[in-house]
Amino acid sequence: MEVRPGGLDTPQVVALLAAHVEDMRRYSPPESVHTLDLDRLRAPDLTFWSAWEGEEVLGCGALRELDPRHGELKSMRTAPEHRGRGVGSLVLEHLVATARSRGYARLSLETGSPDEFAPARRLYARRGFVECGPFGPYAADDFSVFMTFDLSAEVGASPDSP
């Protein structure tokens, strides 16, 4: 498995993101769906990566700069047939490392509150993300869970530190 920059122009990633949007719309009302379309994922404040094994896309994720010290995770998705293989962890670790290299002190995300989002919330919690209030452009919403991770607390810590 390898994480590569980009991929938005490949049919595999386009299909993965279309399935992502479809699921978000299935489990949340329209006003609570915060997914980004392909054009928005190409915006200058976002960097997109995709995880691959050979010619097969396994997952993806993006990092959005909210300000010079605060980043946001966007479009985290693992292809259903590859769940349970560590794809989400691989992409998340890549995004956290990139955020740290950019000098962000904080990394935040918005995910869903319905049960279908529980695996994602567990992944983020295992990595050290904690629930917080709305940030950036978001407002309180019963269908959203907001989480944040203090990158400055990890300075000098090894990836295997508790």
Side-chain angles (χ1 to χ4, degrees):
M1 285 189 277
E2 72 171 316
V3 178
R4 303 176 190 164
L8 291 168
D9 296 323
T10 67
Q12 300 97 315
V13 171
V14 170
L16 180 66
L17 289 169
H20 178 64
V21 171
E22 183 179 314
D23 277 353
M24 299 307 102
R25 290 180 177 155
R26 178 180 305 126
Y27 303 124
S28 301
E31 65 275 8
S32 298
V33 175
H34 303 290
T35 59
L36 302 176
D37 65 20
L38 287 172
D39 286 338
R40 183 64 183 99
L41 285 167
R42 290 183 175 97
D45 65 334
L46 276 134
T47 309
F48 183 87
W49 290 270
S50 44
W52 296 82
E53 196 166 64
E55 295 303 311
E56 189 171 10
V57 69
L58 309 176
C60 62
L63 185 58
R64 175 181 177 189
E65 182 168 302
L66 297 173
D67 68 48
R69 304 280 294 149
H70 189 188
E72 179 186 9
L73 298 181
K74 294 296 294 181
S75 300
M76 287 283 296
R77 176 73 173 194
T78 298
E81 62 274 19
H82 296 291
R83 290 184 182 146
R85 293 185 54 206
V87 174
S89 293
L90 176 72
V91 172
L92 180 58
E93 287 307 316
H94 184 84
L95 297 176
V96 168
T98 301
R100 185 174 290 111
S101 74
R102 290 180 178 180
Y104 296 162
R106 180 175 161 206
L107 192 54
S108 301
L109 63 93
E110 179 276 337
T111 190
S113 63
D115 290 344
E116 291 81 5
F117 296 89
R121 293 190 307 267
R122 284 192 300 271
L123 169 69
Y124 300 131
R126 278 194 311 270
R127 182 57 180 87
F129 283 79
V130 295
E131 288 192 30
C132 64
F135 61 91
Y138 299 101
D141 178 346
D142 289 341
F143 283 87
S144 290
V145 173
F146 303 98
M147 301 179 84
T148 196
F149 181 64
D150 182 358
L151 291 166
S152 64
E154 263 200 353
V155 174
S158 74
D160 299 319
S161 297

